[in-house]
Amino acid sequence: MECTFVSVSPQSDFPIQNLPFGVYSVKEEPARVGVAIGDYVLDLPALSELGLFAHIDGLENSHEVFSKGYLNDFMALGRPVWRAVRRQLQEFLSDDSHPVRRQADKALVCVELSK
């Protein structure tokens, strides 16, 4: 079982093995794309700014795609891109020496996830 630096309850619907893409918003900020992990959301535009997705073919404009208040543009990129993003997120979450981890606080948002 993989571990992550984000505290995830064993009863959580969103462990590192299940990282669902979705759209979220907080306070007065615009809606954008994120991924649920435990009781948190990873902000994909913030991770994009940190370069997490820089080497994924087909996702050259990741910040623009993830800054939208809908998933359509991301979904249009297709399954290979979705899988590559999810793999990159799982690596980021489980690798203590990942270079982006030092700046991860910019991307981790505590929100109440509704089911």
Side-chain angles (χ1 to χ4, degrees):
M1 180 173 185
E2 294 183 71
C3 295
T4 175
F5 73 100
V6 178
S7 178
V8 179
S9 165
Q11 291 78 30
S12 175
D13 291 331
F14 307 116
I16 194 169
Q17 298 83 1
N18 178 29
L19 299 175
F21 298 108
V23 174
Y24 81 101
S25 64
V26 290
K27 299 180 185 175
E28 301 296 319
E29 296 182 32
R32 57 199 173 275
V33 179
V35 168
I37 176 76
D39 293 330
Y40 297 90
V41 170
L42 286 171
D43 184 272
L44 297 191
L47 289 173
S48 178
E49 284 181 14
L50 296 173
L52 188 65
F53 310 114
H55 303 298
I56 296 178
D57 289 336
L59 193 58
E60 290 76 20
N61 60 344
S62 62
H63 187 268
E64 181 181 327
V65 168
F66 293 138
S67 294
K68 306 275 175 99
Y70 50 84
L71 287 171
N72 302 37
D73 292 355
F74 179 56
M75 293 293 108
L77 297 174
R79 189 176 303 269
V81 172
W82 312 337
R83 286 182 176 162
V85 168
R86 190 169 279 116
R87 276 192 306 272
Q88 188 62 47
L89 289 165
Q90 288 170 330
E91 181 181 309
F92 162 75
L93 286 164
S94 61
D95 180 0
D96 288 337
S97 64
H98 197 287
V100 175
R101 287 275 288 274
R102 291 185 298 268
Q103 303 163 331
D105 59 326
K106 298 176 183 178
L108 195 59
V109 180
C110 186
V111 297
E112 184 176 335
L113 299 173
S114 58
K115 296 182 183 179

